[in-house]
């Protein structure tokens, strides 16, 4: 992966995903044991933020520091990009200053255009369509608790047409997990993304199921996942979405259909009482804070494998 962009999980090979997750686990152990791992000493990551962030900023900025490098926070309000400079010019200029670019933005084609014109690796920190950096941490967390990925059943309940769902579908297909998505009509995953993931899934003998029935999706699931009902950019639809998604709340009644040893994931921030009840996200099956921590280790692996010498 050295010198390569990281825009979606579907762009990876199965071998590259395995390498990333192995590297993440090893870097986590080195940090816990206090073993120095300054693989990016002298390197600089430019971090463009057009969406607010907690875990993305911390994981990449702290990750670069622990790897011996430096991360520079670049708000779109401060960059000339926010005043009309083209993405191509921004990419060319940044490539003269930094060794890698991470961007957290809205339209996915902006990340693609940035990667087209940059001469350094570009990492997708989040777009409206994909959140691959988060799902790397999710997969790492599942391995820690389940010991494997292949053959497990993961389900997502809620808004199917969002970045988390899309990247989770791709991650499941690539790793050989079976995935079921329960979403109301009109909020199901992007068909082109599902179609591309199905081709990957067929090679790994895994299944992708989309349904409107949350009980069907959750039944016998090893991993239950949800996300907020109104993502950044959907705030004006909040009232409508609260009504539409009410039957898709992840609560104890729904989770009673999952495997008795299921784990619960949420990328955070969470709205307790909306997409998930407090009894689930704060209960014994929840591993959301291990998941949040693994953003750091997964992102360090990603940074090392894209930016190191």
């Amino acid at each position: 992966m050295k010198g390569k962009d990281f825009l979606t999980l579907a762009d990876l090979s199965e071998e590259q995903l395995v390498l990333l997750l192995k590297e993440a686990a090893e870097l986590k152990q080195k940090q816990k044991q206090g073993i120095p791992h300054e693989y990016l000493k002298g390197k600089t990551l430019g971090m463009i933020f057009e969406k607010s962030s907690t875990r993305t900023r911390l994981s990449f900025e702290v990750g670069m520091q622990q790897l011996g490098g430096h991360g520079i926070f670049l708000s779109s309000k401060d960059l000339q990009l926010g005043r009309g400079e083209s993405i191509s010019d921004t990419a060319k200029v940044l490539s003269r200053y930094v060794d890698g670019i991470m961007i957290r933005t809205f339209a996915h084609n902006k990340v693609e255009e940035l990667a087209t014109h940059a001469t350094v690796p570009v990492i997708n920190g989040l777009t409206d369509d994909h959140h691959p950096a988060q799902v790397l941490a999710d997969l790492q967390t599942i391995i820690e608790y389940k010991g494997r990925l292949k053959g497990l059943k993961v389900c997502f309940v809620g808004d199917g047409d969002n970045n988390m769902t899309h990247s989770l579908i791709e991650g499941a297909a690539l790793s050989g997990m079976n995935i079921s998505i329960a979403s109301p009509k009109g909020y199901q995953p992007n068909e082109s993304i599902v179609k591309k993931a199905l081709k990957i899934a067929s090679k790994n003998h895994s299944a992708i199921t989309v349904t409107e029935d949350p009980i069907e999706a959750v039944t016998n699931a090893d991993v239950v996942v949800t996300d907020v009902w109104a993502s950044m950019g959907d705030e004006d639809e909040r009232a409508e979405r609260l009504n539409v998604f009410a039957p898709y709340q992840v609560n104890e009644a729904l989770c009673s259909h999952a495997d008795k040893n299921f784990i619960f994931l949420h990328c955070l921030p969470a709205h307790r009482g909306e997409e998930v009840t407090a009894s689930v996200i704060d209960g014994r099956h929840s591993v959301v804070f291990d998941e949040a921590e693994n953003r750091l280790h997964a992102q360090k692996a990603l940074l090392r494998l894209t930016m190191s010498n």
Side-chain angles (χ1 to χ4, degrees):
M1 285 186 59
K2 184 174 68 176
K4 301 293 184 181
D5 301 318
F6 180 75
L7 307 187
T8 74
L9 284 168
D11 296 330
L12 298 179
S13 66
E14 185 178 352
E15 292 74 21
Q16 287 174 325
L17 178 62
V18 169
L19 179 62
L20 271 167
L21 294 173
K22 180 181 178 183
E23 181 69 19
E26 291 177 355
L27 288 172
K28 184 173 184 176
Q29 286 303 310
K30 287 181 178 180
Q31 181 185 325
K32 299 296 184 185
Q33 296 168 16
I35 300 172
H37 44 282
E38 296 188 337
Y39 300 116
L40 296 183
K41 194 173 183 63
K43 299 282 188 177
T44 301
L45 176 72
M47 306 184 302
I48 302 173
F49 284 87
E50 293 189 320
K51 286 188 176 185
S52 57
S53 167
T54 297
R55 282 149 292 274
T56 298
R57 179 174 179 180
L58 283 169
S59 60
F60 280 102
E61 193 164 336
V62 175
M64 280 299 295
Q65 183 180 37
Q66 292 182 357
L67 290 168
H70 181 61
I72 302 177
F73 176 80
L74 302 169
S75 168
S76 61
K77 296 177 183 178
D78 300 327
L79 291 172
Q80 296 296 338
L81 186 64
R83 298 179 61 240
E85 184 169 31
S86 69
I87 296 172
S88 61
D89 284 357
T90 300
K92 292 170 185 175
V93 170
L94 285 178
S95 296
R96 303 292 184 102
Y97 288 93
V98 301
D99 303 287
I101 302 168
M102 188 282 296
I103 180 170
R104 182 178 169 95
T105 187
F106 293 89
H108 188 72
N109 60 11
K110 184 174 287 190
V111 177
E112 294 176 328
E113 186 176 355
L114 189 69
T116 297
H117 296 283
T119 56
V120 296
V122 172
I123 295 171
N124 176 8
L126 175 143
T127 64
D128 287 343
D129 292 334
H130 296 276
H131 200 355
Q134 172 66 52
V135 172
L136 280 180
D138 292 357
L139 297 178
Q140 182 181 356
T141 307
I142 294 170
I143 291 173
E144 288 177 353
Y145 277 87
K146 296 296 181 180
R148 63 189 173 96
L149 295 173
K150 196 170 185 65
L152 293 178
K153 178 181 179 180
V154 57
C155 79
F156 182 94
V157 181
D159 184 5
D161 190 20
N162 82 349
N163 47 30
M164 267 303 301
T165 317
H166 294 152
S167 288
L168 196 61
I169 288 170
E170 293 177 342
L174 199 58
S175 62
M177 290 193 296
N178 300 306
I179 184 167
S180 57
I181 303 97
S183 304
K185 189 175 182 179
Y187 296 90
Q188 296 186 330
N190 181 289
E191 290 184 5
S192 64
I193 292 174
V194 173
K195 186 176 180 180
K196 185 175 182 179
L198 281 168
K199 293 181 180 179
I200 300 172
S202 64
K203 299 176 183 178
N204 292 318
H205 307 289
S206 58
I208 300 172
T209 304
V210 179
T211 178
E212 294 180 41
D213 184 352
I215 293 178
E216 176 188 345
V218 171
T219 297
N220 298 324
D222 300 288
V223 184
V224 178
V225 190
T226 192
D227 193 7
V228 294
W229 291 339
S231 299
M232 284 178 281
D234 297 327
E235 290 85 357
D236 57 338
E237 303 174 12
R238 179 175 170 75
E240 178 185 353
R241 283 170 172 263
L242 287 176
N243 182 57
V244 170
F245 287 105
Y248 292 83
Q249 182 186 72
V250 176
N251 50 41
E252 289 185 338
L254 180 62
C255 290
S256 68
H257 298 279
D259 181 84
K260 65 179 182 179
N261 295 315
F262 82 93
I263 59 172
F264 172 75
L265 299 178
H266 191 305
C267 63
L268 302 178
H271 296 160
R272 288 167 173 78
E274 292 183 12
E275 75 273 6
V276 61
T277 59
S279 61
V280 172
I281 194 171
D282 298 321
R284 65 185 183 89
H285 294 280
S286 177
V287 297
V288 298
F289 295 109
D290 289 332
E291 175 189 10
E293 178 192 337
N294 282 338
R295 284 295 303 275
L296 172 62
H297 310 299
Q299 263 67 114
K300 284 164 66 176
L302 181 58
L303 289 165
R304 183 189 180 190
L305 293 174
T306 53
M307 291 175 60
S308 72
N309 293 325

